[in-house]
Amino acid sequence: MINVTAVLHYYLYNVLKDKHNRQSTYLRLAVTDRCNLRCRYCMPEEGIDFAARKELLTYEEIIYLCGVLGELGVNKVRLTGGEPLSRKGLPRLVEGLGHIFPKMAMTTNGILLPPVLDELVGYGLDHYNLSLDTLHEDRFFQITRRDEFGGTWNALEALLERGIKTKINVVVLKGTNDDELGDFVALTKDRKLDVRFIEAMPFNDDDGNHHLYLSHGDMLANIQQRFPDIEPDRGEANSSSVAYRVPGFLGTVGIIPAFSRSLCGSCNRLRLTPKGTMLNCLYSTKGIELLPLLRQGIGRQDLADLITDFVLGKHKDGHETQRLEQSGNIFASMTSIGG
Ligand code: SAM
Ligand code: SF4
């Protein structure tokens, strides 16, 4: 049956365009701020003020909102968090989102993934970014404060066994795991795997670790010591990473300039926090609070109008957002923004 509202919106608004003529087609949906790890660059060990259940968007509210976004041209969702799989009943949400978005992906530490993987893939969630910062069990504990290396590694094996599109996310920290970049690149030799190195971003609760930051250029130089012939590769459109490949290797390597923000010009992302704040940028602190509006029963058209206006005002890049929306270099933890 034709969805009349969807058709109407398509002709009225067509798409979510910002004033820099970029279209927002990709939603990063943080479903929870909770997590089963405590990565040092992301969360403190203790004293975290997690959202109460009633402060979180319910699955029904998320699906209603996503239905409107789908009508406005958003065609891809990434589930993130916190650890998305730590929210109870997540497959039910994924099933609902599968009726809206043609493309679904998840960023996860993977520990809870194997038992639900086949079900999630069945609903169409078939792209996974697995966060794994080290190939050493003891370092995994040092970085995440939890003894769960085996859990993440099992998830990697489960994904590769099934031939599922998989990327490994590695946050690079000077003096902690920067001696492993070559080992991660070596994983791409015989595996159809994309390894992506992320510039660490500073957060309030990162244990003051930001002096451990390594830039895109530093990382590339580091990799070139072992793989001098690594060369630029054709990346995906709107990708958040700069792509490279070692000639003859099956997989690729990417570097995500999360802190230097050199790829903002092609940003197509929209973010939703677990508490229902919509944000245009990872560096935003000012968004629209959708939870109260959803609970007051906002109609589809009004919601679409509000979001259309909001996206129109998106800043040029993360530097501009930081300058206009933040006082200083202080962010909330990634867990509430959805990294
Ligand atoms: N828990 C899931 C995971 O770790 O994959 C999803 C949420 S996590 C916040 C999403 C991504 O953000 C992960 O790849 C994580 O490594 C990255 N991240 C978290 N804090 C970061 C920071 N300070 N700088 C750069 N990346 C960060
Ligand atoms: Fe949890 Fe992901 Fe943050 Fe690590 S990076 S503490 S796994 S939310």
Side-chain angles (χ1 to χ4, degrees):
M1 204 174 71
I2 292 176
N3 180 337
V4 180
T5 321
V7 174
L8 210 69
H9 271 287
Y10 182 79
Y11 285 108
L12 277 177
Y13 303 105
N14 198 356
V15 287
L16 293 171
K17 280 259 173 96
D18 67 29
K19 60 189 181 225
H20 305 285
N21 207 30
R22 293 168 301 196
Q23 186 183 345
S24 292
T25 56
Y26 178 10
L27 174 69
R28 299 187 68 113
L29 174 63
V31 294
T32 177
D33 54 356
R34 292 175 194 253
C35 188
N36 45 358
L37 298 183
R38 290 287 180 277
C39 302
R40 289 175 185 276
Y41 50 74
C42 180
M43 280 175 130
E45 169 72 287
E46 297 178 326
I48 311 163
D49 191 14
F50 290 119
R53 201 184 168 78
K54 64 176 186 317
E55 293 178 290
L56 298 180
L57 288 181
T58 64
Y59 289 162
E60 289 67 30
E61 287 162 348
I62 293 174
I63 287 170
Y64 176 73
L65 170 58
C66 286
V68 171
L69 291 174
E71 290 163 6
L72 291 170
V74 176
N75 56 26
K76 175 172 175 184
V77 67
R78 172 174 300 279
L79 287 109
T80 178
E83 173 47 44
L85 290 164
S86 67
R87 184 153 173 188
K88 211 169 149 201
L90 192 79
R92 183 162 65 83
L93 175 66
V94 174
E95 184 181 13
L97 296 175
H99 294 296
I100 299 170
F101 299 113
K103 292 183 244 172
M104 292 199 287
M106 179 186 278
T107 302
T108 174
N109 60 40
I111 294 162
L112 301 170
L113 184 60
V116 288
L117 179 56
D118 291 328
E119 184 181 3
L120 297 179
V121 172
Y123 297 139
L125 204 174
D126 56 2
H127 284 62
Y128 292 81
N129 287 14
L130 198 66
S131 297
L132 179 64
D133 299 327
T134 175
L135 300 172
H136 301 288
E137 208 165 338
D138 53 338
R139 276 193 191 170
F140 187 95
F141 179 75
Q142 193 194 335
I143 296 168
T144 68
R145 302 187 181 101
R146 298 290 183 271
D147 198 7
E148 293 280 4
F149 176 80
T152 303
W153 190 258
N154 286 345
L156 179 62
E157 289 189 331
L159 288 161
L160 293 178
E161 264 166 26
R162 289 164 176 77
I164 294 170
K165 184 88 179 141
T166 305
K167 294 176 180 169
I168 297 184
N169 281 0
V170 185
V171 176
V172 179
L173 303 166
K174 198 187 292 179
T176 302
N177 62 356
D178 57 335
D179 57 343
E180 293 188 57
L181 304 198
D183 295 339
F184 275 105
V185 174
L187 290 180
T188 68
K189 182 168 193 269
D190 303 315
R191 297 174 179 85
K192 244 184 151 327
L193 181 67
D194 301 325
V195 170
R196 300 170 346 137
F197 299 112
I198 308 179
E199 287 180 353
M201 291 173 60
F203 282 89
N204 311 357
D205 297 327
D206 70 352
D207 275 3
N209 273 344
H210 204 243
H211 61 283
L212 303 179
Y213 161 79
L214 230 77
S215 72
H216 176 171
D218 294 338
M219 292 183 208
L220 187 59
N222 176 319
I223 296 166
Q224 279 166 331
Q225 285 175 14
R226 178 143 155 212
F227 297 102
D229 52 350
I230 190 165
E231 59 189 27
D233 192 45
R234 211 162 40 91
E236 296 161 22
N238 301 109
S239 173
S240 56
S241 69
V242 183
Y244 300 92
R245 181 188 288 273
V246 178
F249 281 23
L250 281 183
T252 65
V253 175
I255 299 182
I256 303 185
F259 186 63
S260 49
R261 285 159 267 181
S262 53
L263 295 179
C264 290
S266 59
C267 180
N268 64 345
R269 294 169 182 75
L270 197 58
R271 291 169 187 276
L272 188 66
T273 72
K275 290 176 163 182
T277 308
M278 183 162 277
L279 299 165
N280 273 321
C281 174
L282 189 52
Y283 286 80
S284 291
T285 56
K286 294 187 171 65
I288 35 173
E289 304 298 335
L290 295 176
L291 182 139
L293 300 173
L294 289 163
R295 296 207 175 150
Q296 285 155 23
I298 186 169
R300 300 180 88 85
Q301 171 92 50
D302 287 346
L303 193 52
D305 288 348
L306 188 70
I307 296 170
T308 306
D309 268 10
F310 177 66
V311 170
L312 192 65
K314 177 167 170 158
H315 299 307
K316 178 166 63 90
D317 56 29
H319 294 287
E320 187 175 288
T321 309
Q322 183 174 6
R323 187 164 48 79
L324 298 174
E325 296 191 14
Q326 293 180 22
S327 49
N329 200 12
I330 304 289
F331 299 80
S333 161
M334 271 282 199
T335 56
S336 54
I337 303 176

